[in-house]
Amino acid sequence: MNISKIGSMHVEKMYSNQDYFYAEDKFKLVCDGCSAGKDSDFGTRLFIKKFAMLPDYLDESKFEENARKVFEELLDFFSINTLDKMEKKDYDFVITNMLFTILACFEKEDSFVVKFLGDGYIITENFLRKISYIKIDYGPCPPYLAYNYILPKYKESFKEELMFKTYEFPKKLFLRVGLGTDGIEPIVFSNKLSKEDKFKFDSFLLNLSGVPVQRNINQVVNMINRNSNNFYDDTTIVF
């Protein structure tokens, strides 16, 4: 089930959906643009499209290297100076366009490997067919790959080089592992949604009714629309 739905706050501000994703059978990649960066949808789309063109994009061992390679190639394409050579125009470009979370999931022979830098959710289905949501949370200022390229005097919260983190989920315990942006938070934590809606959401992910996937996707989108005031941020699920 792959869904990406613009949030009500971004509709009101006339922003685009700042989430973007790419999904194959054994690989998922999700980027979530920072709301403070008005055009971060530009960065998420360019990053994912260019990443998926790499000849070795499915090689989990090269993910971090490839992510940095793509990011640096994009900065170079737009002639953006970094670190000690950075000027205000360069800084403004990065802040406006290139602040985004990166989440990736690789399905290997005996496990699922998730790599991430930023905030969001890891969604799992265990061998008992129960859904769990693992929140990746750094507070109000999540880490973004872009911060590694910004002049240190502009960096308020991150003084050290930011590195991707890795979680691994063995297949003997987990049937599926997916990704979600922080827009799914109302489903996971909010007391504003009915218990019935929360139960239905898990049922849709599990496809307990056995109906076509598109029907479940439509049901989830309808649920988000009914609760649009709670889903103020863009909501993306790749599962």
Side-chain angles (χ1 to χ4, degrees), residues 66-96:
N66 283 337
R68 290 182 175 86
K69 176 182 178 181
V70 168
F71 200 92
E72 290 166 9
E73 286 180 352
L74 291 176
L75 294 179
D76 184 63
F77 179 81
F78 291 103
S79 301
I80 301 301
N81 297 307
T82 60
L83 299 175
D84 58 331
K85 296 181 180 180
M86 176 169 275
E87 301 176 9
K88 187 178 185 303
K89 65 177 178 63
D90 304 311
Y91 174 77
D92 290 343
F93 179 91
V94 172
I95 293 299
T96 302

Side-chain angles (χ1 to χ4, degrees), residues 16-21 29-34 37-52 67 70-75 77-78 80 92-102 144-146:
S16 300
N17 183 345
Q18 294 176 331
D19 292 353
Y20 200 63
F21 73 88
L29 179 61
V30 173
C31 288
D32 179 1
C34 175
K38 182 178 181 298
D39 298 321
S40 60
D41 57 296
F42 178 75
T44 59
R45 283 151 178 76
L46 279 180
F47 179 86
I48 285 184
K49 287 181 179 296
K50 190 163 182 60
F51 190 95
V70 168
F71 200 92
E72 290 166 9
E73 286 180 352
L74 291 176
L75 294 179
F77 179 81
F78 291 103
I80 301 301
D92 290 343
F93 179 91
V94 172
I95 293 299
T96 302
N97 299 279
M98 303 301 291
L99 298 183
F100 50 84
T101 285
I102 303 172
Y144 299 125
L145 185 58

Side-chain angles (χ1 to χ4, degrees), residues 122-206:
I122 302 170
I123 307 170
T124 66
E125 177 187 353
N126 66 21
F127 68 99
L128 295 175
R129 300 216 68 193
K130 300 294 184 181
I131 297 291
S132 296
Y133 304 91
I134 302 171
K135 185 176 183 180
I136 304 167
D137 186 16
Y138 291 87
C141 192
Y144 299 125
L145 185 58
Y147 291 149
N148 287 337
Y149 302 92
I150 293 178
L151 190 65
K153 74 177 183 180
Y154 292 121
K155 294 167 65 175
E156 298 177 357
S157 301
F158 304 106
K159 303 299 183 183
E160 305 295 330
E161 180 181 5
L162 296 169
M163 309 292 287
F164 284 88
K165 296 184 182 298
T166 302
Y167 286 173
E168 190 161 2
F169 300 86
K171 283 189 173 179
K172 64 182 180 180
L173 298 177
F174 297 93
L175 301 176
R176 283 191 298 167
V177 174
L179 305 170
T181 60
D182 54 5
I184 73 169
E185 186 161 323
I187 295 168
V188 182
F189 290 106
S190 175
N191 57 10
K192 296 180 181 179
L193 297 186
S194 68
K195 291 182 179 179
E196 181 182 8
D197 275 345
K198 292 183 179 182
F199 176 79
K200 283 183 177 179
F201 182 77
D202 284 2
S203 298
F204 296 146
L205 290 184
L206 293 169

Side-chain angles (χ1 to χ4, degrees), residues 225-237:
N225 289 337
R226 289 197 310 271
N227 296 277
S228 60
N229 290 338
N230 293 316
F231 288 92
Y232 59 87
D233 199 0
D234 303 328
T235 301
T236 296
I237 303 156

